[in-house]
Amino acid sequence: MPITFGSDGAAERYETDVVVVGGGIAGLSAALGASQAGASVILVEKSPRDQRGGNTHFADAQMRFPHQPDEYGGREYTVEAMYSDLMRISRGRANPELIRTLCENARETAEWLTEMGLEWEPGYPHTAGYRRSPKAGGQGLVDLLFRRLEGEHVAVSYETGARDLIADDAGRIRGVRCIGPEGFVDIEARGGVVLACGGFQANVQMRVAHLGRFADSLILRGSRYNTGEGLMMAIAAGAQPAGQWGDYHSAVLDARSPKIECGVTALYNYQMGIFVDQEGRRFLDEGEDFRDHTYVKFSKFIIEQAGGEAWCLFDQQAYQREEFARAWRPVGPPLQADTLKALADQMGVPSENLLDTVGGFNAAVQPGDYDLDRLDGKRTAGITPPKSNWALPLNQPPYIAIPVTGGITFTFGGIKCDTSARVIDTRGKVMDGLYAAGEPMGEIFYYNYPGASSVIRGAVYGRIAGRHAAARAV
Ligand SMILES: Cc1cc2nc3c(=O)[nH]c(=O)nc-3n(C[C@H](O)[C@H](O)[C@H](O)COP(=O)(O)OP(=O)(O)OC[C@H]3O[C@@H](n4cnc5c(N)ncnc54)[C@H](O)[C@@H]3O)c2cc1C
């Protein structure tokens, strides 16, 4: 239950128009949005200053948003195309109103980030011509927005974790109780509280409870501070859980990655090779779709159905390509051998199986034009699983093997919100004074993940939440 003002415990009490919980892209956008709308704002951040920025700090922070044909040297990407990608990848389960609002506001929000001083890489970083990368990645994005907050005189309180929501007798959310260096602090917010404090990916108990037994040992790609408190506080206050609580975002990681806060150690080049399991057998269609639409799904497959760890194999045709290096930041050198037998021995997989797998695969490769920029239809025939695109025989030694596993980036389960980012309670009613943005917002992602859409989701809904809360106060 949320506590009320006047209950015991807080050493200090502050008042403001809007309080924002969490300093990643969603919280920073909310705080700036509220401040630019004339509200006074306090942002509380659980981490110390030198670890600020949440998951956003660890990300490349690529963003997809609609644009005109040839605008950045790519193809046209319309609001409708973005909407249809996001709905399709959620298998139609995402909340259509939330997705539409996200798509309709993505472009304008990206332009606002540009006005804030964000510099983008020229052109497109990958084959998918609809996403753009901030030049200085997620860390640069976060640092830039914190600098803007300082310019707006927004108070930022580090090492201050929100613990409880504060409600009045009518059930309206009036503030938040936090634990800081000096003890408990109550912050009253006339316009509202914006929960922008991430999912529960760093909370092992919640992970196992909601994702399953295997989830206790997942590599945590991002912030150690996203331990689900925002979700728990909101639900305790009556918010409606929403979205896919049993699923999460992941990536195909180099299995040698650090176990926590490993950052960008994903292999985004697996479509140029094949996966094999510890028995040396292929187990999925590496060329099913653009890697943007498969990396989350494949990483979960490796964890849940391929024994937790697998291998990605390449030959020199792939390894020498410029795209190969661009799509992998090595954690360590790959295994390398002149023969498949020697490679299998290094990998510790049965060499007869590996020779059989690669031989069968090579024989099944069909002729056709190889083109990583499109679904080229250069496929295998007569083997299971097939490789539906980008199938080249592995026949140019030295052969390369990289150990791969899955990890966890953020969780999909959240709380129900409307298109103004207002939280909805279990009766279906708006909870006055409570907003959620970024990872705590449910009903956006299901099963899989359309690459480059979480940072922009945080920016769009953070800004919407901040402005709405500000309008209630000023
Ligand atoms: C390695 C990696 C690469 C990624 N690449 C991309 C990409 O290219 N494009 C993309 O769209 N997405 C990417 N993502 C996902 C994306 O970065 C995140 O989902 C998104 O940035 C989340 O933003 P957020 O503001 O919701 O949460 P965060 O950025 O995680 O911010 C949440 C903040 O809340 C704080 N907090 C938590 N609990 C409390 C509390 N109780 N009180 C106060 N503060 C609290 C945390 O310390 C944290 O600072 C990537 C993620 C990782 C880890």
Side-chain angles (χ1 to χ4, degrees), residues 25-26 45-46 54-56 62 162 225-226 229 409 439 454-455:
I25 184 65
E45 167 52 56
K46 190 162 70 166
N55 262 3
T56 314
Q62 295 176 358
Y225 295 103
N226 288 359
E229 281 134 19
T409 322
E439 292 179 0
S454 190
V455 169

Side-chain angles (χ1 to χ4, degrees), residues 189-408:
R190 290 175 285 273
V193 176
V194 181
L195 295 174
C197 42
F200 61 83
Q201 58 271 14
N203 179 328
V204 69
Q205 186 200 24
M206 289 182 82
R207 266 197 337 241
V208 172
H210 297 290
L211 306 177
R213 201 166 53 158
F214 67 87
D216 69 334
S217 58
L218 290 173
I219 292 176
L220 178 68
R221 301 181 71 210
S223 169
R224 69 187 67 197
Y225 295 103
N226 288 359
T227 45
E229 281 134 19
L231 295 168
M232 290 190 275
M233 276 186 278
I235 291 168
Q240 191 178 137
Q244 202 174 23
W245 275 74
D247 217 333
Y248 62 102
H249 178 284
S250 180
V252 178
L253 303 184
D254 188 317
R256 301 162 297 181
S257 305
K259 295 287 178 220
I260 182 168
E261 297 180 342
C262 64
V264 185
T265 61
L267 265 78
Y268 290 121
N269 50 14
Y270 52 76
Q271 71 281 25
M272 299 180 209
I274 60 170
F275 287 117
V276 295
D277 61 18
Q278 299 299 349
E279 292 302 309
R281 302 289 185 198
R282 285 181 62 245
F283 51 89
L284 51 72
D285 177 353
E286 301 87 350
E288 176 186 293
D289 200 343
F290 285 117
R291 61 97 174 158
D292 238 11
H293 298 159
T294 58
Y295 72 88
V296 172
K297 186 172 152 178
F298 288 179
S299 69
K300 284 188 275 201
F301 196 97
I302 292 168
I303 285 289
E304 293 165 35
Q305 292 173 59
E309 233 179 83
W311 293 92
C312 205
L313 297 191
F314 305 96
D315 72 352
Q316 293 299 313
Q317 281 182 98
Y319 195 56
Q320 298 298 335
R321 290 185 79 93
E322 190 217 339
E323 295 96 329
F324 188 96
R326 264 201 281 139
W328 177 47
R329 281 172 224 169
V331 170
L335 302 188
Q336 193 162 327
D338 288 334
T339 65
L340 287 167
K341 162 94 179 64
L343 191 69
D345 291 345
Q346 286 187 44
M347 293 158 67
V349 308
S351 56
E352 62 282 10
N353 289 1
L354 192 73
L355 285 163
D356 183 51
T357 299
V358 176
F361 177 81
N362 287 354
V365 171
Q366 301 299 297
D369 291 334
Y370 182 79
D371 183 355
L372 286 167
D373 287 341
R374 60 183 180 90
L375 297 173
D376 64 3
K378 181 156 168 41
R379 61 187 178 86
T380 59
I383 53 167
T384 305
K387 185 170 180 184
S388 301
N389 293 286
W390 312 300
L392 287 179
L394 276 80
N395 56 12
Q396 295 187 21
Y399 300 103
I400 300 290
I402 300 168
V404 290
T405 185
I408 187 163

